[in-house]
Amino acid sequence: MKQAQYEILEDKTFYGSIPGFEGVWANESSLEACRLELQEALEDWILLGVSLNHEFPVVAGLELNYRQVTMFEAPGLLEVRS
């Protein structure tokens, strides 16, 4: 949300979007309402993307992408105890 960009449109409504997050946008009558709607849109976008195994952009070093790791790629990750 720190990278969100807002603008006032000709009809005096607020439009917000987040660069790199295609389809995540909001349009509301106040800046606060726009910010809240944009946050909800981002949350829904992430939840849908996770359920569909979409690839996410890396933002501020945070990566949400899932990739399966095998034992050969991560030795010692799985420890068997007797």
Side-chain angles (χ1 to χ4, degrees):
M1 290 297 295
K2 289 182 181 180
Q3 296 180 346
Q5 297 177 350
Y6 301 94
E7 60 182 281
I8 301 174
L9 302 180
E10 288 182 16
D11 64 359
K12 306 293 188 227
T13 61
F14 291 82
Y15 174 83
S17 63
I18 305 173
F21 291 78
E22 187 177 336
V24 177
W25 59 273
N27 182 255
E28 292 291 337
S29 59
S30 71
L31 181 58
E32 182 61 21
C34 185
R35 188 190 68 76
L36 291 172
E37 184 67 25
L38 184 60
Q39 184 172 339
E40 287 183 23
L42 176 60
E43 291 170 1
D44 291 344
W45 186 85
I46 291 171
L47 290 174
L48 180 62
V50 167
S51 70
L52 298 175
N53 200 27
H54 286 174
E55 192 165 323
F56 295 100
V58 177
V59 177
L62 178 63
E63 182 171 356
L64 298 176
N65 296 309
Y66 167 83
R67 117 179 140 83
Q68 192 168 11
V69 178
T70 67
M71 281 184 34
F72 299 109
E73 293 177 287
L77 183 64
L78 179 63
E79 185 178 322
V80 178
R81 297 181 188 201
S82 55

